Amino acid sequence: MNILITCGGRRNYLIDYFKSAIGKNDKVIVTNNIEYVSSMFRADIAIKAPHISDPEYIPFLLNICKQYKVGMMLSLFDQDLSMITKHKTSFENLGVIVALSDYNIIQSCFNKNNLNSILHEFGIKTPKTYDSKTKLHKAIKKGEISFPIIIKPQFGSGSLAMGKCESLDNLDTVSNFLQLSLDNSYLSDNYSSKHKNQLLFQEYIHGIEYNIDIVNDFNGNFKTTFVKKKLLRGSSENDTVKTILNEHLWKLGERIGEKLHHIGIMDADVIERNHELYTIDLNPRFGGGYPFSHMAGANIPLAYIHWADKQEAPKKCFHFTENLIITKGIDLHLKIAE
């Protein structure tokens, strides 16, 4: 089965994982609109793509699926998830398994304000969140929230245009700076004129930070949760973690997986404060924390291959060793210029 991974970016390790999981005659095809990124160097077949906003982007992907007889495809970039799942039927009509959740689920995760509402319906705690300064000021006066607070885009990705505000005196300065960052980023494409560049104002939760992978099969059935305690964090991803077995966090993953019925892997950030768990973020894709799970024994790319073939994934795909400290480093890639 040939696999298409779109917007591969710097997730070269995932390309390696899928290459190890497929048959010896199968290929991993990677597309990216920037040619010289590490995932393109690791691919069996690397193809430079149009920008995802280009009208030719979806026809470009459909043509690749036809030309290379793609059996399964997935994406590693938030904005691309929505774009592909809007056209999911077109890919499925070619016999391609789109290993992504449906559009509504992806949009629910991407819209951070709506996500909080959904998680509350599931009985899951999230930080108090306000979608305007007016509402924030009222909440401060009522004593519902105090500084510091987190300010971030309603439709966010990674840590882009997100920051911490320490006091009311700095609120306008910090929010205006983040607004400007948002205006000048690719995230601004996600806002209509009605909701142009909307920021959220969120309770700052200080506590023990965790990254968890919530794994469902391709029918949306929960399979397992992998839990990692964050020890060191880089600019927007985890650098060092400790793998742990924690019943409360495992069951939190189970609850989200069973309620949301997402497809495949879900990356989540959770903070424990005073023995209570707060879910901060959900990303319906392979996240930056997955390689730690893989190094601890998991093999979700192999599970994807089996699920795409309508087979049960082997139990070894969900193996997870606790008490490992794993760090993410930097490696180099060499390619002879043509």
Side-chain angles (χ1 to χ4, degrees), residues 157-190:
S157 181
S159 299
L160 190 60
M162 184 174 81
K164 184 179 177 183
C165 180
E166 298 285 352
S167 70
L168 185 60
D169 291 339
N170 296 327
L171 180 61
D172 287 340
T173 300
V174 176
S175 58
N176 289 341
F177 173 77
L178 294 175
Q179 183 69 70
L180 182 62
S181 299
L182 183 55
D183 289 341
N184 293 313
S185 76
Y186 62 83
L187 291 178
S188 62
D189 294 338
N190 297 304

PDB file of all heavy atoms in Angstrom, residues 157-190:
ATOM      1  N   SER A 157      -2.818  27.390  16.289  1.00  0.00           N
ATOM      2  CA  SER A 157      -2.006  26.259  15.854  1.00  0.00           C
ATOM      3  C   SER A 157      -0.650  26.382  16.520  1.00  0.00           C
ATOM      4  O   SER A 157       0.018  27.419  16.416  1.00  0.00           O
ATOM      5  CB  SER A 157      -1.847  26.258  14.329  1.00  0.00           C
ATOM      6  OG  SER A 157      -1.080  25.153  13.907  1.00  0.00           O
ATOM      7  N   GLY A 158      -0.224  25.320  17.238  1.00  0.00           N
ATOM      8  CA  GLY A 158       1.026  25.396  17.960  1.00  0.00           C
ATOM      9  C   GLY A 158       0.954  26.502  18.995  1.00  0.00           C
ATOM     10  O   GLY A 158      -0.041  26.697  19.676  1.00  0.00           O
ATOM     11  N   SER A 159       2.019  27.278  19.093  1.00  0.00           N
ATOM     12  CA  SER A 159       2.053  28.400  20.041  1.00  0.00           C
ATOM     13  C   SER A 159       2.069  29.738  19.320  1.00  0.00           C
ATOM     14  O   SER A 159       2.430  30.761  19.910  1.00  0.00           O
ATOM     15  CB  SER A 159       3.293  28.281  20.942  1.00  0.00           C
ATOM     16  OG  SER A 159       3.251  27.087  21.696  1.00  0.00           O
ATOM     17  N   LEU A 160       1.639  29.742  18.061  1.00  0.00           N
ATOM     18  CA  LEU A 160       1.689  30.962  17.259  1.00  0.00           C
ATOM     19  C   LEU A 160       0.717  32.006  17.803  1.00  0.00           C
ATOM     20  O   LEU A 160      -0.443  31.703  18.098  1.00  0.00           O
ATOM     21  CB  LEU A 160       1.352  30.642  15.807  1.00  0.00           C
ATOM     22  CG  LEU A 160       1.589  31.739  14.778  1.00  0.00           C
ATOM     23  CD1 LEU A 160       3.050  32.151  14.747  1.00  0.00           C
ATOM     24  CD2 LEU A 160       1.156  31.262  13.396  1.00  0.00           C
ATOM     25  N   ALA A 161       1.193  33.237  17.955  1.00  0.00           N
ATOM     26  CA  ALA A 161       0.390  34.369  18.436  1.00  0.00           C
ATOM     27  C   ALA A 161      -0.250  34.094  19.789  1.00  0.00           C
ATOM     28  O   ALA A 161      -1.358  34.529  20.076  1.00  0.00           O
ATOM     29  CB  ALA A 161      -0.676  34.736  17.414  1.00  0.00           C
ATOM     30  N   MET A 162       0.465  33.385  20.638  1.00  0.00           N
ATOM     31  CA  MET A 162      -0.013  33.088  21.983  1.00  0.00           C
ATOM     32  C   MET A 162       0.979  33.646  22.996  1.00  0.00           C
ATOM     33  O   MET A 162       2.194  33.591  22.779  1.00  0.00           O
ATOM     34  CB  MET A 162      -0.162  31.583  22.187  1.00  0.00           C
ATOM     35  CG  MET A 162      -0.748  31.204  23.540  1.00  0.00           C
ATOM     36  SD  MET A 162      -1.070  29.425  23.693  1.00  0.00           S
ATOM     37  CE  MET A 162       0.563  28.835  24.107  1.00  0.00           C
ATOM     38  N   GLY A 163       0.470  34.217  24.091  1.00  0.00           N
ATOM     39  CA  GLY A 163       1.362  34.781  25.089  1.00  0.00           C
ATOM     40  C   GLY A 163       0.712  34.868  26.448  1.00  0.00           C
ATOM     41  O   GLY A 163      -0.484  34.643  26.613  1.00  0.00           O
ATOM     42  N   LYS A 164       1.515  35.226  27.440  1.00  0.00           N
ATOM     43  CA  LYS A 164       1.072  35.337  28.820  1.00  0.00           C
ATOM     44  C   LYS A 164       1.043  36.805  29.221  1.00  0.00           C
ATOM     45  O   LYS A 164       1.979  37.553  28.932  1.00  0.00           O
ATOM     46  CB  LYS A 164       2.043  34.552  29.722  1.00  0.00           C
ATOM     47  CG  LYS A 164       1.668  34.483  31.185  1.00  0.00           C
ATOM     48  CD  LYS A 164       2.719  33.644  31.910  1.00  0.00           C
ATOM     49  CE  LYS A 164       2.467  33.590  33.398  1.00  0.00           C
ATOM     50  NZ  LYS A 164       3.534  32.824  34.101  1.00  0.00           N
ATOM     51  N   CYS A 165      -0.027  37.230  29.850  1.00  0.00           N
ATOM     52  CA  CYS A 165      -0.172  38.613  30.318  1.00  0.00           C
ATOM     53  C   CYS A 165      -0.204  38.597  31.837  1.00  0.00           C
ATOM     54  O   CYS A 165      -1.014  37.888  32.440  1.00  0.00           O
ATOM     55  CB  CYS A 165      -1.452  39.231  29.767  1.00  0.00           C
ATOM     56  SG  CYS A 165      -1.721  40.932  30.289  1.00  0.00           S
ATOM     57  N   GLU A 166       0.676  39.407  32.447  1.00  0.00           N
ATOM     58  CA  GLU A 166       0.857  39.357  33.892  1.00  0.00           C
ATOM     59  C   GLU A 166      -0.064  40.284  34.675  1.00  0.00           C
ATOM     60  O   GLU A 166      -0.285  40.076  35.865  1.00  0.00           O
ATOM     61  CB  GLU A 166       2.312  39.693  34.239  1.00  0.00           C
ATOM     62  CG  GLU A 166       3.333  38.718  33.659  1.00  0.00           C
ATOM     63  CD  GLU A 166       3.358  37.392  34.393  1.00  0.00           C
ATOM     64  OE1 GLU A 166       2.686  37.290  35.442  1.00  0.00           O
ATOM     65  OE2 GLU A 166       4.049  36.469  33.933  1.00  0.00           O
ATOM     66  N   SER A 167      -0.594  41.346  34.022  1.00  0.00           N
ATOM     67  CA  SER A 167      -1.404  42.303  34.784  1.00  0.00           C
ATOM     68  C   SER A 167      -2.368  43.043  33.865  1.00  0.00           C
ATOM     69  O   SER A 167      -2.188  43.067  32.635  1.00  0.00           O
ATOM     70  CB  SER A 167      -0.510  43.316  35.503  1.00  0.00           C
ATOM     71  OG  SER A 167       0.106  44.189  34.561  1.00  0.00           O
ATOM     72  N   LEU A 168      -3.365  43.671  34.474  1.00  0.00           N
ATOM     73  CA  LEU A 168      -4.343  44.445  33.726  1.00  0.00           C
ATOM     74  C   LEU A 168      -3.679  45.614  33.001  1.00  0.00           C
ATOM     75  O   LEU A 168      -4.072  45.988  31.893  1.00  0.00           O
ATOM     76  CB  LEU A 168      -5.438  44.946  34.664  1.00  0.00           C
ATOM     77  CG  LEU A 168      -6.617  45.677  34.037  1.00  0.00           C
ATOM     78  CD1 LEU A 168      -7.359  44.776  33.042  1.00  0.00           C
ATOM     79  CD2 LEU A 168      -7.578  46.155  35.128  1.00  0.00           C
ATOM     80  N   ASP A 169      -2.636  46.183  33.605  1.00  0.00           N
ATOM     81  CA  ASP A 169      -1.941  47.317  33.000  1.00  0.00           C
ATOM     82  C   ASP A 169      -1.312  46.951  31.655  1.00  0.00           C
ATOM     83  O   ASP A 169      -1.154  47.810  30.783  1.00  0.00           O
ATOM     84  CB  ASP A 169      -0.841  47.827  33.941  1.00  0.00           C
ATOM     85  CG  ASP A 169      -1.406  48.482  35.196  1.00  0.00           C
ATOM     86  OD1 ASP A 169      -2.577  48.895  35.151  1.00  0.00           O
ATOM     87  OD2 ASP A 169      -0.684  48.547  36.211  1.00  0.00           O
ATOM     88  N   ASN A 170      -0.940  45.684  31.516  1.00  0.00           N
ATOM     89  CA  ASN A 170      -0.275  45.234  30.286  1.00  0.00           C
ATOM     90  C   ASN A 170      -1.214  44.568  29.296  1.00  0.00           C
ATOM     91  O   ASN A 170      -0.770  44.109  28.240  1.00  0.00           O
ATOM     92  CB  ASN A 170       0.856  44.251  30.636  1.00  0.00           C
ATOM     93  CG  ASN A 170       1.951  44.905  31.434  1.00  0.00           C
ATOM     94  OD1 ASN A 170       2.241  46.086  31.241  1.00  0.00           O
ATOM     95  ND2 ASN A 170       2.564  44.156  32.348  1.00  0.00           N
ATOM     96  N   LEU A 171      -2.493  44.497  29.625  1.00  0.00           N
ATOM     97  CA  LEU A 171      -3.430  43.745  28.794  1.00  0.00           C
ATOM     98  C   LEU A 171      -3.484  44.267  27.370  1.00  0.00           C
ATOM     99  O   LEU A 171      -3.391  43.496  26.404  1.00  0.00           O
ATOM    100  CB  LEU A 171      -4.824  43.774  29.425  1.00  0.00           C
ATOM    101  CG  LEU A 171      -5.915  43.019  28.660  1.00  0.00           C
ATOM    102  CD1 LEU A 171      -5.577  41.534  28.539  1.00  0.00           C
ATOM    103  CD2 LEU A 171      -7.272  43.202  29.350  1.00  0.00           C
ATOM    104  N   ASP A 172      -3.654  45.567  27.205  1.00  0.00           N
ATOM    105  CA  ASP A 172      -3.755  46.135  25.854  1.00  0.00           C
ATOM    106  C   ASP A 172      -2.452  45.959  25.076  1.00  0.00           C
ATOM    107  O   ASP A 172      -2.466  45.621  23.893  1.00  0.00           O
ATOM    108  CB  ASP A 172      -4.123  47.614  25.920  1.00  0.00           C
ATOM    109  CG  ASP A 172      -5.573  47.839  26.315  1.00  0.00           C
ATOM    110  OD1 ASP A 172      -6.371  46.894  26.160  1.00  0.00           O
ATOM    111  OD2 ASP A 172      -5.896  48.943  26.784  1.00  0.00           O
ATOM    112  N   THR A 173      -1.339  46.168  25.743  1.00  0.00           N
ATOM    113  CA  THR A 173      -0.038  46.047  25.073  1.00  0.00           C
ATOM    114  C   THR A 173       0.198  44.626  24.568  1.00  0.00           C
ATOM    115  O   THR A 173       0.563  44.406  23.407  1.00  0.00           O
ATOM    116  CB  THR A 173       1.104  46.442  26.031  1.00  0.00           C
ATOM    117  OG1 THR A 173       0.920  47.787  26.447  1.00  0.00           O
ATOM    118  CG2 THR A 173       2.458  46.309  25.338  1.00  0.00           C
ATOM    119  N   VAL A 174      -0.050  43.645  25.442  1.00  0.00           N
ATOM    120  CA  VAL A 174       0.182  42.241  25.060  1.00  0.00           C
ATOM    121  C   VAL A 174      -0.812  41.791  23.993  1.00  0.00           C
ATOM    122  O   VAL A 174      -0.439  41.162  22.997  1.00  0.00           O
ATOM    123  CB  VAL A 174       0.104  41.323  26.294  1.00  0.00           C
ATOM    124  CG1 VAL A 174       0.238  39.862  25.881  1.00  0.00           C
ATOM    125  CG2 VAL A 174       1.181  41.684  27.300  1.00  0.00           C
ATOM    126  N   SER A 175      -2.082  42.118  24.179  1.00  0.00           N
ATOM    127  CA  SER A 175      -3.093  41.677  23.210  1.00  0.00           C
ATOM    128  C   SER A 175      -2.893  42.347  21.858  1.00  0.00           C
ATOM    129  O   SER A 175      -3.077  41.711  20.808  1.00  0.00           O
ATOM    130  CB  SER A 175      -4.506  41.937  23.742  1.00  0.00           C
ATOM    131  OG  SER A 175      -4.706  43.301  24.026  1.00  0.00           O
ATOM    132  N   ASN A 176      -2.497  43.608  21.846  1.00  0.00           N
ATOM    133  CA  ASN A 176      -2.238  44.291  20.566  1.00  0.00           C
ATOM    134  C   ASN A 176      -1.045  43.684  19.848  1.00  0.00           C
ATOM    135  O   ASN A 176      -1.051  43.528  18.617  1.00  0.00           O
ATOM    136  CB  ASN A 176      -1.998  45.786  20.794  1.00  0.00           C
ATOM    137  CG  ASN A 176      -3.260  46.534  21.179  1.00  0.00           C
ATOM    138  OD1 ASN A 176      -4.367  46.051  20.956  1.00  0.00           O
ATOM    139  ND2 ASN A 176      -3.097  47.701  21.778  1.00  0.00           N
ATOM    140  N   PHE A 177      -0.013  43.335  20.611  1.00  0.00           N
ATOM    141  CA  PHE A 177       1.157  42.689  20.011  1.00  0.00           C
ATOM    142  C   PHE A 177       0.792  41.332  19.412  1.00  0.00           C
ATOM    143  O   PHE A 177       1.183  40.996  18.289  1.00  0.00           O
ATOM    144  CB  PHE A 177       2.260  42.526  21.052  1.00  0.00           C
ATOM    145  CG  PHE A 177       3.428  41.714  20.564  1.00  0.00           C
ATOM    146  CD1 PHE A 177       4.371  42.263  19.709  1.00  0.00           C
ATOM    147  CD2 PHE A 177       3.570  40.385  20.948  1.00  0.00           C
ATOM    148  CE1 PHE A 177       5.444  41.514  19.245  1.00  0.00           C
ATOM    149  CE2 PHE A 177       4.631  39.618  20.496  1.00  0.00           C
ATOM    150  CZ  PHE A 177       5.563  40.191  19.638  1.00  0.00           C
ATOM    151  N   LEU A 178       0.020  40.550  20.163  1.00  0.00           N
ATOM    152  CA  LEU A 178      -0.381  39.231  19.667  1.00  0.00           C
ATOM    153  C   LEU A 178      -1.332  39.355  18.475  1.00  0.00           C
ATOM    154  O   LEU A 178      -1.298  38.549  17.553  1.00  0.00           O
ATOM    155  CB  LEU A 178      -1.024  38.422  20.790  1.00  0.00           C
ATOM    156  CG  LEU A 178      -0.076  38.047  21.939  1.00  0.00           C
ATOM    157  CD1 LEU A 178      -0.848  37.361  23.053  1.00  0.00           C
ATOM    158  CD2 LEU A 178       1.042  37.143  21.435  1.00  0.00           C
ATOM    159  N   GLN A 179      -2.189  40.385  18.519  1.00  0.00           N
ATOM    160  CA  GLN A 179      -3.080  40.642  17.383  1.00  0.00           C
ATOM    161  C   GLN A 179      -2.277  40.915  16.116  1.00  0.00           C
ATOM    162  O   GLN A 179      -2.579  40.409  15.040  1.00  0.00           O
ATOM    163  CB  GLN A 179      -3.981  41.831  17.692  1.00  0.00           C
ATOM    164  CG  GLN A 179      -5.008  42.148  16.619  1.00  0.00           C
ATOM    165  CD  GLN A 179      -6.065  41.072  16.536  1.00  0.00           C
ATOM    166  OE1 GLN A 179      -6.880  40.933  17.441  1.00  0.00           O
ATOM    167  NE2 GLN A 179      -6.050  40.310  15.461  1.00  0.00           N
ATOM    168  N   LEU A 180      -1.230  41.722  16.250  1.00  0.00           N
ATOM    169  CA  LEU A 180      -0.373  42.036  15.114  1.00  0.00           C
ATOM    170  C   LEU A 180       0.328  40.778  14.603  1.00  0.00           C
ATOM    171  O   LEU A 180       0.434  40.560  13.387  1.00  0.00           O
ATOM    172  CB  LEU A 180       0.658  43.097  15.516  1.00  0.00           C
ATOM    173  CG  LEU A 180       1.611  43.579  14.416  1.00  0.00           C
ATOM    174  CD1 LEU A 180       0.828  44.234  13.283  1.00  0.00           C
ATOM    175  CD2 LEU A 180       2.641  44.561  14.994  1.00  0.00           C
ATOM    176  N   SER A 181       0.792  39.945  15.523  1.00  0.00           N
ATOM    177  CA  SER A 181       1.426  38.685  15.127  1.00  0.00           C
ATOM    178  C   SER A 181       0.456  37.803  14.370  1.00  0.00           C
ATOM    179  O   SER A 181       0.805  37.164  13.377  1.00  0.00           O
ATOM    180  CB  SER A 181       1.936  37.945  16.376  1.00  0.00           C
ATOM    181  OG  SER A 181       2.894  38.703  17.064  1.00  0.00           O
ATOM    182  N   LEU A 182      -0.779  37.790  14.837  1.00  0.00           N
ATOM    183  CA  LEU A 182      -1.819  37.001  14.185  1.00  0.00           C
ATOM    184  C   LEU A 182      -2.138  37.544  12.796  1.00  0.00           C
ATOM    185  O   LEU A 182      -2.280  36.787  11.827  1.00  0.00           O
ATOM    186  CB  LEU A 182      -3.069  36.996  15.058  1.00  0.00           C
ATOM    187  CG  LEU A 182      -4.263  36.158  14.605  1.00  0.00           C
ATOM    188  CD1 LEU A 182      -3.864  34.716  14.381  1.00  0.00           C
ATOM    189  CD2 LEU A 182      -5.377  36.254  15.632  1.00  0.00           C
ATOM    190  N   ASP A 183      -2.243  38.876  12.686  1.00  0.00           N
ATOM    191  CA  ASP A 183      -2.533  39.513  11.399  1.00  0.00           C
ATOM    192  C   ASP A 183      -1.501  39.147  10.341  1.00  0.00           C
ATOM    193  O   ASP A 183      -1.819  39.036   9.153  1.00  0.00           O
ATOM    194  CB  ASP A 183      -2.556  41.041  11.546  1.00  0.00           C
ATOM    195  CG  ASP A 183      -3.764  41.532  12.317  1.00  0.00           C
ATOM    196  OD1 ASP A 183      -4.738  40.776  12.429  1.00  0.00           O
ATOM    197  OD2 ASP A 183      -3.713  42.671  12.817  1.00  0.00           O
ATOM    198  N   ASN A 184      -0.253  38.962  10.776  1.00  0.00           N
ATOM    199  CA  ASN A 184       0.848  38.718   9.848  1.00  0.00           C
ATOM    200  C   ASN A 184       1.213  37.241   9.723  1.00  0.00           C
ATOM    201  O   ASN A 184       2.273  36.905   9.201  1.00  0.00           O
ATOM    202  CB  ASN A 184       2.088  39.510  10.286  1.00  0.00           C
ATOM    203  CG  ASN A 184       1.882  41.012  10.153  1.00  0.00           C
ATOM    204  OD1 ASN A 184       1.407  41.481   9.132  1.00  0.00           O
ATOM    205  ND2 ASN A 184       2.231  41.756  11.183  1.00  0.00           N
ATOM    206  N   SER A 185       0.332  36.374  10.195  1.00  0.00           N
ATOM    207  CA  SER A 185       0.594  34.931  10.116  1.00  0.00           C
ATOM    208  C   SER A 185      -0.416  34.255   9.210  1.00  0.00           C
ATOM    209  O   SER A 185      -1.436  34.832   8.830  1.00  0.00           O
ATOM    210  CB  SER A 185       0.510  34.313  11.508  1.00  0.00           C
ATOM    211  OG  SER A 185      -0.842  34.182  11.925  1.00  0.00           O
ATOM    212  N   TYR A 186      -0.132  32.992   8.877  1.00  0.00           N
ATOM    213  CA  TYR A 186      -1.055  32.219   8.048  1.00  0.00           C
ATOM    214  C   TYR A 186      -2.382  31.968   8.758  1.00  0.00           C
ATOM    215  O   TYR A 186      -3.395  31.669   8.114  1.00  0.00           O
ATOM    216  CB  TYR A 186      -0.424  30.883   7.634  1.00  0.00           C
ATOM    217  CG  TYR A 186      -0.090  29.954   8.777  1.00  0.00           C
ATOM    218  CD1 TYR A 186      -1.068  29.130   9.334  1.00  0.00           C
ATOM    219  CD2 TYR A 186       1.197  29.868   9.289  1.00  0.00           C
ATOM    220  CE1 TYR A 186      -0.778  28.271  10.379  1.00  0.00           C
ATOM    221  CE2 TYR A 186       1.503  29.005  10.333  1.00  0.00           C
ATOM    222  CZ  TYR A 186       0.510  28.217  10.862  1.00  0.00           C
ATOM    223  OH  TYR A 186       0.800  27.365  11.903  1.00  0.00           O
ATOM    224  N   LEU A 187      -2.415  32.114  10.077  1.00  0.00           N
ATOM    225  CA  LEU A 187      -3.653  31.878  10.816  1.00  0.00           C
ATOM    226  C   LEU A 187      -4.731  32.896  10.489  1.00  0.00           C
ATOM    227  O   LEU A 187      -5.918  32.621  10.681  1.00  0.00           O
ATOM    228  CB  LEU A 187      -3.382  31.900  12.317  1.00  0.00           C
ATOM    229  CG  LEU A 187      -2.556  30.747  12.896  1.00  0.00           C
ATOM    230  CD1 LEU A 187      -2.334  30.960  14.383  1.00  0.00           C
ATOM    231  CD2 LEU A 187      -3.238  29.413  12.641  1.00  0.00           C
ATOM    232  N   SER A 188      -4.343  34.057   9.993  1.00  0.00           N
ATOM    233  CA  SER A 188      -5.334  35.098   9.699  1.00  0.00           C
ATOM    234  C   SER A 188      -6.300  34.653   8.608  1.00  0.00           C
ATOM    235  O   SER A 188      -7.409  35.182   8.497  1.00  0.00           O
ATOM    236  CB  SER A 188      -4.641  36.395   9.281  1.00  0.00           C
ATOM    237  OG  SER A 188      -3.895  36.221   8.099  1.00  0.00           O
ATOM    238  N   ASP A 189      -5.905  33.653   7.801  1.00  0.00           N
ATOM    239  CA  ASP A 189      -6.786  33.150   6.748  1.00  0.00           C
ATOM    240  C   ASP A 189      -8.007  32.439   7.312  1.00  0.00           C
ATOM    241  O   ASP A 189      -8.987  32.208   6.606  1.00  0.00           O
ATOM    242  CB  ASP A 189      -6.028  32.173   5.839  1.00  0.00           C
ATOM    243  CG  ASP A 189      -4.923  32.843   5.052  1.00  0.00           C
ATOM    244  OD1 ASP A 189      -4.995  34.067   4.868  1.00  0.00           O
ATOM    245  OD2 ASP A 189      -3.988  32.141   4.623  1.00  0.00           O
ATOM    246  N   ASN A 190      -7.949  32.079   8.603  1.00  0.00           N
ATOM    247  CA  ASN A 190      -9.038  31.311   9.210  1.00  0.00           C
ATOM    248  C   ASN A 190     -10.174  32.181   9.741  1.00  0.00           C
ATOM    249  O   ASN A 190     -11.163  31.668  10.238  1.00  0.00           O
ATOM    250  CB  ASN A 190      -8.493  30.475  10.379  1.00  0.00           C
ATOM    251  CG  ASN A 190      -7.478  29.458   9.916  1.00  0.00           C
ATOM    252  OD1 ASN A 190      -7.759  28.643   9.055  1.00  0.00           O
ATOM    253  ND2 ASN A 190      -6.284  29.527  10.476  1.00  0.00           N
TER     254      ASN A 190
END
